[in-house]
Amino acid sequence: MEGMTLMEINAGDTAWVLASAALVMLMTPGLAFFYGGMVRMKSVLNMMMMSFITIAVVTVMWVLVGYSLTFAGDTGHVIGDFSEVGLKGLMATDSVSGSTPTLAFVAFQLMFAIITPALISGAIADRAKFRGWIAFVVGWTLLVYFPVAHSVWFLQDGNGGWIGDKLKAVDFAGGTAVHLNAGAAALALAIVLGKRVGWKKDPMRPHSLPLVLLGAGLLWFGWFGFNAGSALSAGTTAAVTFVNTQAATATAVIGWLIVERIVHGKATTLGLASGAVAGLVAITPSCGAVSPIGALILGLAAGAICCFAVSLKYKLGFDDSLDVVGVHFVGGLFGSLAIGLLGTAAAPSAVNGLFYGGGFTQLGKQALANLVVGLYSFTVAFILGKVIDKTIGFRVTEDDEVTGVDQVEHAETAYDFLGASGLRGALSARPAPAETENGTTTEPAEKEGVKA
Amino acid sequence: MKLITAVVKPHKLDDVRAALETFGVTGMTVTEASGYGRQKGHTEVYRGAEYEVDLVPKVRLEVVVEDGDSADVVDVIVKAAQTGKIGDGKVWVTPVDTIVRVRTGELDGDAL
């Protein structure tokens, strides 16, 4: 009967979900700062653009077909259908999802669809064509993110997405659907695009660690919306996941810094920022499944493991420039598997892991879900990357890469240091001569800053 | 006239400038520089990737003086810039043919 399964709209829940959507939205600009600070000065704008353009592109996709393909109905337990394209019918006051208006859920889930492809961009710093990136975002979001998110989060009384509803692997806020998924695609793109010119030979130091820390801070803040917002209600589950998120992130910072101090001799700011993100990633799938003490243990291990993992690329020889694999793939996988170890039935997700007498059952389910998603995402990203590279091109020429993608792809430079020393106009930049009809150029009537 | 060029540790610049002022030198040019001599650079670590930073930040200070003052000015700079530790820098002297003060067109000694 109509209305039988519908719940009333709850004002508190709706307020929390909408606020959480805004928090998660802020994570993508945060990611832009986090990544932007880590690249060299000549490519910071391109790096940040890759995150910001994803906000625009995926929003359009989500309104047109994305939401419908992810959360409207079920086709074969892997994808939705076209019944709600253009968000058809969702403005109605009786359109309810859980205890919130459906459009609140639409807005919240949109922000996840944005940040997931944006995460991948860290693997291809300094060398990607902007249009190649946009093509990749469109293709990967459509072919990988929508079906994976449906498989994990579309629940329909045991008959929804195969991972979340049939296999019953736990992925509270996206360790599998977001982080492992993006990490696998990042590995594929790092291989397709190849190493940067001068990799392992030239210094590629982060150009601004304060920007990295700003980004990490914004991510940390926004992540409360990501995890606690995924409760989709303003109650106990949101509170538990909020505390677990903070607890795991704290110990992940400490875990990363301890390993770094022992192995490399110093605790670094980049290590602190990376440890925080590694902890946030690892607690994402598990924040509803562990106790606060479990979260402390999980975070400590995640920080230490990811600190070791970021060195793997040098041994294996792929230029995952900003360690999307080492942090998001490894952190997401570890956090997801940890549910099978540290999960306790007392927590909202209500599963017992190995250490709580649950045996290996949950661990097996977690492993299977991640294996399938990882392989699928890697394969599609690899093929898609190759197709883009062979058609419209994905990597800039060597000359352009050495010059810098900011200049070549965007006709901009991030910082005007000559301007700061009073040399603007003389050495820094002049207005370009205006073109006349016969193709010759004339000098502009006034030089910048000079009154006639 | 002589051009005296000194490459010194950045944190000694104030001491050198003060000492030169006391001696009577009325102007100088200072630029940020980087380089290395016996003092090699340092190692930085970013997510486990170690980088050798070979070039050490220094300041380069230039003063033009009369021939007779040259030895004393070098002495003043060396005394003020010395810490006794490796990396204190270098001072060298080169002959100068002509100097013109841009504002007035005064030449050589008058232009100092």
Side-chain angles (χ1 to χ4, degrees):
Chain A
M1 236 186 90
E2 196 194 337
M4 203 175 72
T5 56
L6 289 184
M7 285 172 65
E8 291 286 309
I9 288 176
N10 178 293
D13 293 346
T14 306
W16 174 234
V17 170
L18 287 173
S20 290
L23 282 169
V24 182
M25 162 67 211
L26 188 62
M27 288 172 68
T28 301
L31 184 73
F33 283 115
F34 184 67
Y35 280 171
M38 268 189 267
V39 296
R40 288 168 290 174
M41 218 180 295
K42 62 183 180 179
S43 37
V44 50
L45 294 176
N46 173 260
M47 195 69 244
M48 298 185 78
M49 277 284 269
M50 285 198 279
S51 282
F52 273 92
I53 192 63
T54 307
I55 300 176
V57 170
V58 175
T59 299
V60 174
M61 291 176 70
W62 190 250
V63 170
L64 292 180
V65 297
Y67 175 77
S68 187
L69 284 175
T70 312
F71 288 108
D74 180 83
T75 310
H77 309 297
V78 292
I79 194 145
D81 58 32
F82 291 104
S83 61
E84 288 170 3
V85 289
L87 305 181
K88 198 173 58 186
L90 302 187
M91 284 196 295
T93 48
D94 64 350
S95 179
V96 177
S97 168
S99 56
T100 69
T102 304
L103 283 180
F105 180 69
V106 168
F108 181 68
Q109 285 292 340
L110 161 61
M111 305 313 171
F112 286 63
I114 289 169
I115 196 167
T116 308
L119 288 170
I120 302 168
S121 63
I124 56 169
D126 301 340
R127 60 197 188 284
K129 281 189 176 166
F130 191 54
R131 62 181 179 184
W133 169 249
I134 293 171
F136 180 81
V137 168
V138 171
W140 188 85
T141 306
L142 193 64
L143 299 173
V144 179
Y145 184 77
F146 296 157
V148 168
H150 177 89
S151 302
V152 170
W153 287 320
F154 183 75
L155 307 181
Q156 199 177 54
D157 302 324
N159 209 24
W162 74 272
I163 293 174
D165 220 12
K166 299 186 82 68
L167 177 66
K168 298 214 180 289
V170 174
D171 188 12
F172 191 83
T176 307
V178 174
H179 295 287
L180 175 117
N181 198 6
L187 177 60
L189 282 199
I191 294 168
V192 170
L193 267 74
K195 300 164 189 132
R196 284 171 291 177
V197 175
W199 190 61
K200 284 214 254 190
K201 292 197 291 283
D202 298 347
M204 293 178 178
R205 285 185 287 171
H207 91 282
S208 171
L209 288 170
L211 277 193
V212 174
L213 287 170
L214 171 67
L218 288 173
L219 283 167
W220 194 334
F221 176 70
W223 224 293
F224 291 114
F226 203 88
N227 286 0
S230 289
L232 298 173
S233 59
T236 307
T237 303
V240 170
T241 51
F242 195 112
V243 170
N244 282 346
T245 299
Q246 182 71 4
T249 308
T251 47
V253 165
I254 295 166
W256 188 298
L257 291 183
I258 289 174
V259 170
E260 199 174 39
R261 177 70 179 76
I262 293 169
V263 177
H264 304 292
K266 291 278 191 274
T268 67
T269 47
L270 182 60
L272 185 148
S274 309
V277 173
L280 289 161
V281 168
I283 197 64
T284 293
S286 51
C287 59
V290 299
S291 69
I293 294 292
L296 288 177
I297 296 166
L298 188 150
L300 190 69
I305 288 169
C306 290
C307 184
F308 282 114
V310 291
S311 299
L312 278 179
K313 64 180 180 184
Y314 297 109
K315 297 198 179 78
L316 300 176
F318 59 92
D319 183 6
D320 168 20
S321 317
L322 310 182
D323 299 306
V324 187
V325 178
V327 175
H328 295 274
F329 183 91
V330 173
L333 179 63
F334 172 72
S336 184
L337 295 178
I339 297 169
L341 302 173
L342 291 164
T344 166
S349 296
V351 292
N352 272 326
L354 185 62
F355 302 157
Y356 286 80
F360 288 94
T361 319
Q362 194 61 35
L363 189 60
K365 290 177 180 179
Q366 299 300 123
L368 178 63
N370 285 293
L371 179 72
V372 175
V373 170
L375 280 176
Y376 178 67
S377 175
F378 177 87
T379 308
V380 176
F382 191 89
I383 295 168
L384 189 61
K386 281 280 184 201
V387 168
I388 291 169
D389 201 37
K390 295 274 183 265
T391 51
I392 62 173
F394 209 158
R395 182 166 178 165
V396 298
T397 64
E398 189 173 325
D399 267 4
D400 286 352
E401 187 182 328
V402 171
T403 303
V405 277
D406 285 2
Q407 264 184 54
V408 172
E409 288 292 303
H410 306 294
E412 288 174 304
T413 309
Y415 307 102
D416 180 10
F417 291 119
L418 286 172
S421 65
L423 291 171
R424 188 175 165 81
L427 292 175
S428 176
R430 290 176 296 111
E435 287 207 20
T436 59
E437 276 177 21
N438 58 16
T440 59
T441 59
T442 57
E443 286 296 317
E446 288 179 15
K447 280 198 171 176
E448 192 182 356
V450 179
K451 292 265 193 276
Chain B
M1 293 151 300
K2 302 286 190 200
L3 166 66
I4 298 170
T5 307
V7 173
V8 299
K9 287 183 168 165
H11 74 274
K12 297 304 283 181
L13 175 64
D14 274 348
D15 295 346
V16 173
R17 198 184 52 75
L20 285 173
E21 220 159 69
T22 309
F23 181 81
V25 173
T26 52
M28 67 189 68
T29 304
V30 177
T31 38
E32 288 181 46
S34 47
Y36 67 93
R38 288 187 190 168
Q39 178 197 23
K40 290 291 179 253
H42 59 281
T43 306
E44 295 186 1
V45 190
Y46 298 94
R47 281 187 177 166
E50 294 193 3
Y51 293 115
E52 296 294 335
V53 181
D54 293 327
L55 301 177
V56 184
K58 297 284 166 192
V59 294
R60 175 192 175 110
L61 177 142
E62 287 161 305
V63 192
V64 184
V65 297
E66 298 281 8
D67 287 352
D69 293 331
S70 170
D72 291 336
V73 170
V74 169
D75 199 43
V76 166
I77 294 174
V78 168
K79 281 212 176 81
Q82 206 165 57
T83 68
K85 295 201 190 90
I86 201 161
D88 270 357
K90 297 257 186 306
V91 182
W92 60 92
V93 180
T94 36
V96 172
D97 285 345
T98 309
I99 303 173
V100 185
R101 188 189 302 279
V102 173
R103 176 168 56 85
T104 57
E106 286 166 287
L107 289 175
D108 299 341
D110 295 332
L112 284 179

